[in-house]
Amino acid sequence: KKLWIDDYVHLGGDEVRTSCWNKTKSIVEWMDMMHFNTSDAYEYFVKTTHNIARNVGRKSIHWDEVFTHFGSALDKDTIIQVWHSQSLVAEVVNAGHDCILSNSSV
């Protein structure tokens, strides 16, 4: 709490390029061991970082790309920051998530 004074941490999740994961031997070996494809590994990363934040008393925020990619697989306490389209807000809220709208056209 002394290092990070806010209750929220933005974990991003956008602009993830998984194609390089298939070119990195140690990552390929780990994905094989876990029986993951790149989408599974990406979901594992999102969920693991979310759980780390939660376990240290923080609420995690992810960009709307994470919601678009994983939808109902996300924990309901994941906050989604929507910037692509205001119309996505209703979908995020109806799925049970809190939402931050950051669309410059609003």
Side-chain angles (χ1 to χ4, degrees):
K1 192 75 173 174
K2 291 178 183 178
L3 177 64
W4 194 269
I5 60 171
D6 198 54
D7 290 334
Y8 300 88
V9 60
H10 204 299
L11 297 174
D14 63 326
E15 300 179 1
V16 175
R17 304 291 179 256
T18 60
S19 59
C20 64
W21 297 355
N22 287 321
K23 298 174 186 168
T24 307
K25 183 180 178 195
S26 60
I27 295 174
V28 169
E29 290 170 351
W30 176 80
M31 288 192 302
D32 287 346
M33 180 185 71
M34 299 294 287
H35 305 285
F36 283 171
N37 59 34
T38 54
S39 182
D40 297 329
Y42 177 32
E43 182 177 353
Y44 176 87
F45 173 79
V46 167
K47 287 184 173 187
T48 299
T49 56
H50 174 78
N51 287 333
I52 290 169
R54 182 191 304 142
N55 290 340
V56 296
R58 301 300 182 266
K59 298 173 186 170
S60 66
I61 303 167
H62 286 280
W63 290 114
D64 61 38
E65 290 93 333
V66 173
F67 177 79
T68 301
H69 191 86
F70 298 113
S72 63
L74 295 174
D75 289 338
K76 296 299 181 201
D77 61 343
T78 304
I79 300 166
I80 306 299
Q81 186 167 1
V82 172
W83 71 275
H84 275 106
S85 171
Q86 186 174 353
S87 63
L88 188 56
V89 170
E91 187 178 344
V92 168
V93 172
N94 287 336
H97 298 278
D98 287 340
C99 182
I100 300 168
L101 177 61
S102 300
N103 190 310
S104 63
S105 65
V106 176

